[in-house]
Amino acid sequence: MALSGMRGLSVFISDIRNCQNKEQERLRVDKELGNLRTRFKNEKGLTHYEKKKYVWKMLYIYMLGYDVDFGHMEAVSLISAPKYPEKQVGYIVTSCLLNENHDFLRLAINTVRNDIIGRNETFQCLALTLVGNIGGREFAESLAPDVQKLLISSSVRPLVRKKAALCLLRLYRKNPDVVNVDGWADRMAQLLDERDLGVLTSSMSLLVALVANNHDAYWSSLPKCVRILERLIRNQDVPQEYTYYGIPSPWIQVKTMRALQYFPTIEDPNTRRSLFEVLQRILMGTDVVKNVNKNNASHAVLFEALALVMHLDAEKEMMSQCIALLGKFIAVREPNIRYLGLENMTRMLMVTEVQEIIKRHQAQIITSLKDPDISIRRRALDLLYGMCDVSNAKDIVEELLQYLSTADFAMREELSLKAAILAEKFAPDLSWYVDVILQLIDKAGDFVSDDIWFRVVQFVTNNEDLQPYAALKARSYLDKPAIHETMVKVSAYILGEYGHLLARRPGCSPKEIFIIINEKLPTVSTSTIPILLSTYAKILMHSQPPDKELQSQIWAIFSKYEGCIDSEIQQRAVEYHALSRKGAALMDILAEMPKFPERQSSLIKKAEDSEADTAEQSAIKLRTQQQASNALVVTDQLPANGPQPVGQLGIVKVPSMSITDDNTSEQEVTRENGILTVIDSQPPSTASPDLLGDLLGPLAIEGPSVTTHQPEPSVASDLQSGIRADALAIEPVEELANNVQPIGDIAERFHALIVKDSGVLYEDPYIQIGIKAEWRAHQGRFLLYLGNKNIAPLLSVQAMILPPSHLQIELSLVPETIPPRAQVQCPVEVINLRPSRDLAVLDFSYKFGTHVQVNVKLRLPALLNKFLQPIQLSAEEFFPQWRSLSGPPLKLQEVVRGVRPMPLAEMTNLFNSLRVMVCPGLDPNANNLVASTTFYSESTRAMLCLMRIETDPADRSQLRMTIASGDPVLTSELKEFIKEQLVHIPIPSTPMPPQTQPVSSPTTAMSDPGDLLAGLLN
C-alpha cells in the first residue's frame, strides 16, 4: 500500500515534468487540486496514511508556486498522528503553509507540547523545529518553560538540546518575558561549559540575544566566553566536522566575539590578558589565500576581532598591527576584501592615536578613489575625509579636486561637500581656501550648494587682506567662455563689493568689469538676476564721478527690469534706479558690508557633533525603535568624523549679525545697501547624498503639497516695516519660500517603474521613497524603502494605500518616526483579482521639524503588465489558439496613431520589458510582430493572450494592433494598456489628420492578398 501511495506522488511529479508549457502544467495542477478537494470533503473516511500522501502532493504543488488555500486543517491534524511518517508530514507541511498568526496553529499547541515533554527524541526534534520556525507569542507563553527544561537537562541528547536552544531563542524574540533574568543567568553560564560544539553554537546565539538587551545580568558568562575562544583558537578538542577549511568553528568564534562587544571594557587583568592573547593569534594567523571559502571564513573571524579590539580600546601596538593588516587588504585584487579593508580602517578612525599610522597608507587609499567599483570609491572617500588633518589636508583636497572632474555624478555632491568642509577646517591660509572653493564651483557647480559660496563671502568680508586676491580670482574665472551660474553669483558679488580694489590692474576698470558680468546676464536664472542688479549698483557707486556711457547702460538695464513680473527683481530695479541718481550720496547708501561676528561654521559644527555617535550606538538606538514596528530599520553607518548629507550641514546662509529676542528663536539681521532685513537663521535643507543609490534606480508622480510655518520675527517695528522684500543681494528668491519641491520628475520615475521592478518612487530634500518588487502569477510583493536623508528625525509619518477594486493590497505597519540617516523597509502584499488598468495610490505624509509638513499622493506601479508571464509559442501552438478567438469581444483590432517612431528591434525590447514575448518567425512580413503572454488573476487564473502588431516602414508613427484572449475584459484592458505604452511620449512631428478623414491602411502588407499570414491571423 505504501508503494502505491508514493507511486501516485511519483506519477504526479513525472506528469508535471513532462508538461510542454506552463499552460499544460496549470491544467495538470488544477486537475490534481480538484481531486484533493474531493478527497478532503470526505475527510471522515480518510486514514492518517491517506491524508499523508494527499498532503505531500499539496506541499509539492505549493513548492511549484501555486496557491494552496485548502487542506491546512488536514495538515495540522497529522501532527497528532501516532506514527512518525504521518507526524513528519504534518510538521513539515504546517511549517511551510502556515505563519505564526494562523488560527489553526492554536489547535496544535497541546499536541506540540506533548511531543516536547514526551520521551520520543524524534518527536521532540520535530516539535522544536516547528516552534523554532513559526512559533509566536502564544507558543512562547505555553511552551517556554518546557523548552528551558529540555535545554538544561543532562539526560537529553545534544541533538535535542541544540534544537531547544534555537527554539528558546525564537520564543525569546517573540516575548522577552519568557526568560526570567534572575533565574536564567547562572544556567546560561553553565551552558557555556558544554563540550558539544553543536549545543555550544546554539547556546551562543541565545547568549548574544540575551546580552544585547541586558548585559548586566550575564557578567558570569564573560570569562567563559574568553575560555571558549581560547579553546577554539588553540584547536583544543574541536571535532573534525566543526573545522571549516582548517578554521575551528568560525561560527562560534564570531558569535562569541559579538557577545563580548555588548559588555563594557573588561577590567579583570587576567581575563583581559587572555582575551588579547586570543586576538593576537587571530591577527597573526589571518592572511589572504586563493581559496574563496577559506577567505570568507577567516575574514569573518578577523573583522569581528577587529571590532572587538576597537571596543576594548587595545594598546597602540595591537592597533598598529590591525592597521598594518588592513593596509595589506586594501592593496589586494579581490574587490570584496578591499571594500572590507577600507570600511574597517574607517572604523579604526574612531580610536584615538591611530590617525598617524593610517596616514602611511594614504597613497593606496587615494588609488582606491579610482577603483571601478563605486562602493569601494565611496569607502575610500569616507576614509580620506576622516583621516584628514592640518598636515595632509592640502594633498587630500587637491586629490579630491582632481578626482571631481572624472567622478560619477552620484558621488559629486558628496565629494564637493567634503572638499568644502576640509578646506575650511584645515586651510593653511585663507587664499588657499578661496582657491579651493572657486575650483570646486568651477568643476562641480551643479553639485555645490549656495551655502558654500555664502561662507566664502563671509571670509572675504571679514579679512581685508584677502579682498583684493578674492576679487582678482573671481575676475579671472569670468574670462572663461562658459562658467556655472553659481560662479556667476559669487564672482558678481565679490566684484561688486571689492572690484574697485583692482582699478589699477588691466581689464579691471568698472566699465570692463560691468561688460564681462553683463555678458552673463542673458544666461542666468531669475534667482541670480537680483545679485547682478546689486552688483551694477555697486559698480556705479565705485565709479564716482560716473562714466556717462557706463551709467546710461546700467540705467537701461534697471529700466528694463522695472516691469519684471518677479517682485524681487522689480523692486530692486526700481530702487537701484532711484538711488543711483543721488550722485556722491550713493557712497553712504550703498556702503560696503560690515564685518560679521566670528563664529564657527554651522557646517563644521554639525560635522563635529556627529562624531559623538558611533555606529554601534546608532544601531542600538535603532534596534530599540524597531521593536515597535514590523518595518525593518537600517542605518547608514558612517565613520565617526565621516561625511554628512548636505541637508544637515547648512553653512551660514548669509553674512549676518545675530540677535536674540527673549520670546523668539534666533534671527539674523542683515544689512545690504543700507537696508536691514530679518531672516531665519536656519535655512531649509538641501538635497542629500542618495541613500538608496547603490540599490535603486530612477522613478515617482504627483507633486507634494507643503505646509510651512514661519516663526514671526520679534524685532523692532521699524525693521519689520522696512523693506523685507529687498532681502539680501546674495539671497536666492526661492530659498525664502521654504517650499519643499520634489527632486526629479515624478511622472518619469513612475513610467520607468512600469518596465522595471526597482527604482526611486519619490524624492525631496528630506526623504527618498524607493521600491523593489517581485511578481509571481497573480500575486506580488514589494518593499517600500523610506530613507531619511537628514540628521533630524522625520515625524508623524503616515502611509496609506488606496487600492482600486481589482487589487487586494496589504501594507505593513509604518513607524511614525524615521530616525536620522535611517532607512525603513515596509513590505506590501498585492493580489490581483481581475484585469484592470486602474492604479493604486500611496497617500504619504510626514513632518520635518516644526516648519515643514509634506503630503504626496504617488501612483504605485502595480500595473496590469506586472501580472503577465511571457510565453514562447511555436506556430503549431499559436495558430489554433488564434483561430479559436474569432472577432469581438475576444479579439479586438485598432489602428493606433501618434506612436513613438522606433525600429522593430526597439519595439521588441519594449514588449519584452512589458513581459510580452515576441515570437520570431511566425509572421512572414518582416515589418510585423507576433507576441504572446499569459495573464494571471484570481478570476481568470492563467489566461493566454495573443497579439499582432503591423507597422508601416514608411510611417513609423502609426500601426495596426490586434489583441486576443479568452476574456473580453482582459482583451480590452490589455489593448488599451499596450496602446498607452506605445504613445506615452509625444512625437515631435506634423499633426496627424483628423479622425473624420478616411483611415488608410498602415502597411501594404495588411491589404496585400498575398500575405500568407493574413488568412490565418485575420
Side-chain angles (χ1 to χ4, degrees):
M1 183 176 179
L3 288 175
S4 63
M6 291 301 101
R7 187 180 299 116
L9 177 61
S10 300
V11 170
F12 173 61
I13 293 174
S14 297
D15 290 346
I16 291 296
R17 290 177 175 173
N18 292 330
C19 289
Q20 298 296 317
N21 52 52
K22 194 71 176 176
E23 187 63 23
Q24 288 184 13
E25 180 183 293
R26 162 62 72 178
L27 293 174
R28 181 67 182 89
V29 168
D30 285 345
K31 178 182 177 181
E32 195 63 39
L33 287 174
N35 292 338
L36 293 178
R37 285 180 186 274
T38 304
R39 297 287 185 179
F40 287 154
K41 283 181 181 178
N42 303 321
E43 183 184 356
K44 293 182 180 178
L46 291 179
T47 65
H48 283 310
Y49 171 77
E50 289 174 323
K51 284 184 183 179
K52 179 193 76 169
K53 65 180 185 179
Y54 297 143
V55 169
W56 267 134
K57 288 185 179 181
M58 191 171 71
L59 177 61
Y60 181 71
I61 292 172
Y62 175 79
M63 290 167 61
L64 290 175
Y66 296 94
D67 285 336
V68 180
D69 53 2
F70 67 94
H72 299 164
M73 189 62 201
E74 286 72 13
V76 173
S77 67
L78 284 175
I79 293 177
S80 60
K83 295 182 180 180
Y84 174 77
E86 288 83 8
K87 186 181 286 287
Q88 178 199 31
V89 176
Y91 274 117
I92 292 175
V93 178
T94 300
S95 298
C96 293
L97 297 187
L98 305 186
N99 60 45
E100 63 182 78
N101 299 316
H102 205 288
D103 292 337
F104 284 168
L105 280 182
R106 295 192 182 94
L107 305 176
I109 289 181
N110 288 333
T111 304
V112 173
R113 183 174 184 274
N114 290 334
D115 285 339
I116 288 177
I117 64 178
R119 294 185 175 274
N120 190 317
E121 291 181 345
T122 306
F123 290 177
Q124 286 177 327
C125 290
L126 289 174
L128 291 170
T129 302
L130 172 79
V131 178
N133 283 324
I134 60 172
R137 291 186 67 88
E138 291 188 25
F139 275 93
E141 294 166 1
S142 304
L143 304 179
D146 299 314
V147 175
Q148 287 174 325
K149 289 178 183 177
L150 272 184
L151 178 58
I152 62 178
S153 174
S154 58
S155 61
V156 178
R157 289 177 61 197
L159 173 68
V160 179
R161 294 178 64 204
K162 67 181 181 181
K163 290 182 180 293
L166 294 178
C167 181
L168 184 59
L169 174 60
R170 166 83 182 196
L171 300 181
Y172 176 74
R173 286 171 174 168
K174 293 299 174 183
N175 184 5
D177 296 334
V178 301
V179 176
N180 187 341
V181 175
D182 296 332
W184 186 253
D186 293 337
R187 292 175 178 177
M188 189 69 243
Q190 293 172 9
L191 284 174
L192 299 182
D193 292 328
E194 179 64 43
R195 305 306 297 173
D196 185 275
L197 293 188
V199 178
L200 190 58
T201 304
S202 303
S203 300
M204 194 59 69
S205 298
L206 177 61
L207 177 65
V208 171
L210 294 173
V211 297
N213 287 340
N214 183 9
H215 68 269
D216 289 332
Y218 297 95
W219 274 104
S220 58
S221 298
L222 191 148
K224 296 192 176 184
C225 288
V226 177
R227 282 200 290 272
I228 290 172
L229 284 176
E230 287 183 299
R231 171 189 171 188
L232 294 175
I233 294 303
R234 294 191 170 98
N235 207 355
Q236 296 174 344
D237 191 23
V238 179
Q240 185 63 34
E241 60 267 24
Y242 284 94
T243 302
Y244 185 78
Y245 286 92
I247 305 170
S249 190
W251 310 279
I252 301 183
Q253 292 188 49
V254 169
K255 291 175 186 293
T256 306
M257 287 188 284
R258 187 163 297 171
L260 288 173
Q261 290 175 58
Y262 285 101
F263 292 100
T265 301
I266 302 171
E267 300 296 340
D268 180 62
N270 294 328
T271 304
R272 186 178 176 89
R273 184 176 59 256
S274 300
L275 182 55
F276 279 133
E277 289 177 1
V278 169
L279 296 175
Q280 185 74 30
R281 280 175 171 263
I282 295 175
L283 296 178
M284 294 291 292
T286 305
D287 205 351
V288 180
V289 297
K290 291 184 178 180
N291 189 298
V292 176
N293 293 325
K294 183 171 183 178
N295 272 339
N296 290 339
S298 62
H299 292 147
V301 175
L302 172 67
F303 291 126
E304 203 65 49
L306 290 175
L308 184 55
V309 167
M310 287 188 286
H311 175 75
L312 297 174
D313 196 15
E315 288 77 8
K316 188 174 181 180
E317 182 179 349
M318 181 172 281
M319 298 300 299
S320 302
Q321 188 177 350
C322 293
I323 295 170
L325 191 59
L326 293 174
K328 291 181 182 179
F329 286 171
I330 65 177
V332 301
R333 295 181 60 184
E334 173 60 38
N336 290 332
I337 297 177
R338 287 205 307 278
Y339 179 92
L340 291 171
L342 290 167
E343 183 181 47
N344 281 273
M345 197 175 279
T346 303
R347 295 180 66 195
M348 284 284 183
L349 290 169
M350 289 186 259
V351 182
T352 56
E353 299 181 357
V354 299
Q355 283 204 6
E356 291 301 322
I357 308 172
I358 293 178
K359 286 180 188 177
R360 300 170 190 169
H361 305 279
Q362 181 173 314
Q364 185 61 47
I365 297 168
I366 290 173
T367 302
S368 299
L369 270 182
K370 300 163 187 174
D371 194 277
D373 191 325
I374 189 172
S375 299
I376 293 177
R377 296 199 296 271
R378 287 185 183 278
R379 296 292 78 78
L381 177 60
D382 292 344
L383 182 51
L384 282 174
Y385 177 82
M387 63 187 281
C388 187
D389 58 20
V390 177
S391 65
N392 60 1
K394 212 164 185 178
D395 294 334
I396 289 179
V397 171
E398 287 177 2
E399 287 291 342
L400 295 183
L401 289 175
Q402 288 180 13
Y403 176 55
L404 195 57
S405 302
T406 57
D408 291 0
F409 286 105
M411 288 185 62
R412 290 194 182 184
E413 186 173 358
E414 187 179 357
L415 261 172
S416 303
L417 179 67
K418 289 180 175 176
I421 295 175
L422 295 179
E424 178 176 347
K425 197 172 182 180
F426 304 113
D429 56 76
L430 291 179
S431 60
W432 179 81
Y433 169 73
V434 171
D435 287 342
V436 168
I437 300 301
L438 293 182
Q439 286 184 60
L440 204 60
I441 296 172
D442 183 48
K443 292 182 177 182
D446 286 332
F447 304 93
V448 176
S449 68
D450 284 345
D451 294 332
I452 293 176
W453 76 266
F454 292 162
R455 185 65 172 164
V456 175
V457 167
Q458 287 188 346
F459 277 119
V460 173
T461 304
N462 282 11
N463 295 272
E464 292 183 7
D465 296 340
L466 188 61
Q467 292 166 1
Y469 180 81
L472 187 61
K473 293 295 291 186
R475 173 66 182 83
S476 65
Y477 276 102
L478 287 177
D479 285 331
K480 291 190 174 185
I483 60 174
H484 192 270
E485 187 168 342
T486 304
M487 182 64 76
V488 175
K489 292 178 183 179
V490 67
S491 298
Y493 183 87
I494 291 176
L495 288 172
E497 291 289 334
Y498 312 111
H500 63 283
L501 302 176
L502 308 177
R504 297 182 181 275
R505 294 180 179 269
C508 296
S509 66
K511 187 172 184 179
E512 289 171 313
I513 290 176
F514 165 74
I515 292 173
I516 195 69
I517 293 177
N518 197 47
E519 288 176 356
K520 315 297 180 185
L521 181 60
T523 65
V524 299
S525 63
T526 54
S527 64
T528 305
I529 293 175
I531 299 176
L532 299 188
L533 295 181
S534 298
T535 299
Y536 297 158
K538 292 278 188 174
I539 290 174
L540 272 183
M541 176 193 73
H542 289 301
S543 60
Q544 296 294 334
D547 180 330
K548 296 299 183 181
E549 182 181 356
L550 174 62
Q551 188 180 62
S552 61
Q553 289 176 331
I554 293 177
W555 282 356
I557 295 173
F558 289 157
S559 299
K560 173 184 174 183
Y561 285 104
E562 283 179 350
C564 180
I565 192 171
D566 187 289
S567 59
E568 174 73 11
I569 297 174
Q570 183 189 75
Q571 185 168 357
R572 284 179 187 255
V574 170
E575 294 181 357
Y576 289 153
H577 199 178
L579 289 171
S580 62
R581 298 178 181 275
K582 294 188 176 291
L586 200 59
M587 296 292 292
D588 296 326
I589 300 172
L590 298 181
E592 288 184 7
M593 286 286 290
K595 291 186 178 181
F596 308 111
E598 290 295 338
R599 57 181 178 183
Q600 186 183 18
S601 165
S602 59
L603 182 146
I604 294 179
K605 182 177 183 302
K606 292 183 179 180
E608 291 174 348
D609 290 344
S610 69
E611 295 176 9
D613 292 331
T614 64
E616 289 79 4
Q617 290 170 334
S618 300
I620 292 171
K621 291 178 185 176
L622 288 169
R623 283 193 210 108
T624 305
Q625 294 166 343
Q626 181 184 348
Q627 293 174 356
S629 170
N630 293 333
L632 175 63
V633 181
V634 183
T635 58
D636 183 11
Q637 294 188 355
L638 297 175
N641 50 351
Q644 302 298 326
V646 177
Q648 307 165 15
L649 303 175
I651 301 177
V652 176
K653 201 163 187 185
V654 289
S656 62
M657 300 173 293
S658 104
I659 62 171
T660 307
D661 185 87
D662 291 340
N663 302 318
T664 62
S665 60
E666 185 182 272
Q667 307 289 321
E668 290 181 355
V669 178
T670 307
R671 177 170 177 262
E672 168 69 10
N673 305 331
I675 300 170
L676 290 178
T677 306
V678 182
I679 64 172
D680 295 329
S681 61
Q682 297 177 347
S685 298
T686 55
S688 71
D690 187 357
L691 297 178
L692 301 173
D694 290 345
L695 175 66
L696 304 174
L699 174 96
I701 122 167
E702 286 82 14
S705 61
V706 184
T707 305
T708 60
H709 308 281
Q710 296 287 355
E712 291 294 329
S714 177
V715 293
S717 59
D718 58 334
L719 291 179
Q720 291 180 334
S721 61
I723 314 175
R724 180 179 176 87
D726 278 16
L728 275 182
I730 64 168
E731 178 70 7
V733 177
E734 60 267 26
E735 291 289 343
L736 293 176
N738 200 22
N739 289 330
V740 177
Q741 295 298 329
I743 298 173
D745 190 300
I746 302 181
E748 287 184 7
R749 294 181 185 273
F750 172 75
H751 286 299
L753 278 182
I754 293 177
V755 296
K756 296 199 307 182
D757 287 336
S758 64
V760 178
L761 191 65
Y762 171 80
E763 184 175 7
D764 63 31
Y766 305 103
I767 196 169
Q768 184 183 70
I769 303 177
I771 191 169
K772 188 174 185 180
E774 57 181 11
W775 308 92
R776 185 176 62 186
H778 67 288
Q779 294 181 322
R781 183 178 188 274
F782 59 84
L783 291 174
L784 285 176
Y785 293 85
L786 311 178
N788 183 354
K789 299 162 59 174
N790 295 271
I791 60 169
L794 299 182
L795 309 173
S796 303
V797 178
Q798 294 184 351
M800 179 175 64
I801 294 181
L802 310 174
S805 59
H806 75 284
L807 293 180
Q808 181 179 318
I809 301 181
E810 181 179 351
L811 171 66
S812 71
L813 181 66
V814 177
E816 290 189 0
T817 301
I818 302 179
R821 294 287 293 172
Q823 183 187 98
V824 177
Q825 301 178 11
C826 304
V828 181
E829 303 287 341
V830 182
I831 297 178
N832 184 29
L833 304 178
R834 59 183 179 277
S836 175
R837 289 177 298 120
D838 294 340
L839 293 170
V841 175
L842 173 66
D843 189 348
F844 184 81
S845 62
Y846 69 89
K847 291 181 180 179
F848 181 79
T850 58
H851 305 299
V852 179
Q853 179 174 343
V854 179
N855 179 257
V856 290
K857 290 181 173 59
L858 307 169
R859 292 177 290 177
L860 291 176
L863 292 95
L864 182 142
N865 68 306
K866 301 298 184 182
F867 305 103
L868 298 178
Q869 185 66 41
I871 181 173
Q872 183 82 43
L873 297 181
S874 64
E876 292 75 15
E877 296 168 325
F878 183 90
F879 291 121
Q881 297 282 353
W882 183 265
R883 292 193 197 96
S884 66
L885 302 169
S886 58
L890 298 182
K891 181 185 288 184
L892 300 176
Q893 189 174 93
E894 181 179 350
V895 174
V896 182
R897 292 185 171 83
V899 177
R900 287 176 289 154
M902 66 182 87
L904 284 183
E906 184 179 341
M907 188 176 292
T908 299
N909 292 335
L910 173 63
F911 279 118
N912 289 339
S913 66
L914 295 174
R915 303 173 187 248
V916 177
M917 176 71 73
V918 174
C919 304
L922 293 189
D923 195 321
N925 190 328
N927 295 312
N928 299 344
L929 296 178
V930 174
S932 58
T933 189
T934 306
F935 175 77
Y936 290 88
S937 71
E938 277 201 351
S939 62
T940 63
R941 289 299 173 179
M943 182 66 67
L944 185 64
C945 306
L946 308 174
M947 61 185 69
R948 185 193 190 201
I949 307 296
E950 301 164 276
T951 68
D952 183 356
D955 184 2
R956 291 289 186 189
S957 65
Q958 61 175 345
L959 53 79
R960 185 163 70 188
M961 178 171 58
T962 309
I963 307 289
S965 78
D967 182 80
V969 177
L970 173 58
T971 302
S972 174
E973 292 291 323
L974 183 59
K975 178 178 75 71
E976 293 302 317
F977 176 79
I978 297 295
K979 178 180 174 182
E980 288 173 359
Q981 303 312 308
L982 291 172
V983 301
H984 123 102
I985 298 179
I987 20 180
S989 61
T990 55
M992 297 301 297
Q995 293 295 324
T996 55
Q997 295 182 5
V999 177
S1000 59
S1001 177
T1003 70
T1004 56
M1006 284 184 249
S1007 57
D1008 185 356
D1011 187 347
L1012 297 178
L1013 196 62
L1016 297 174
L1017 295 176
N1018 296 324

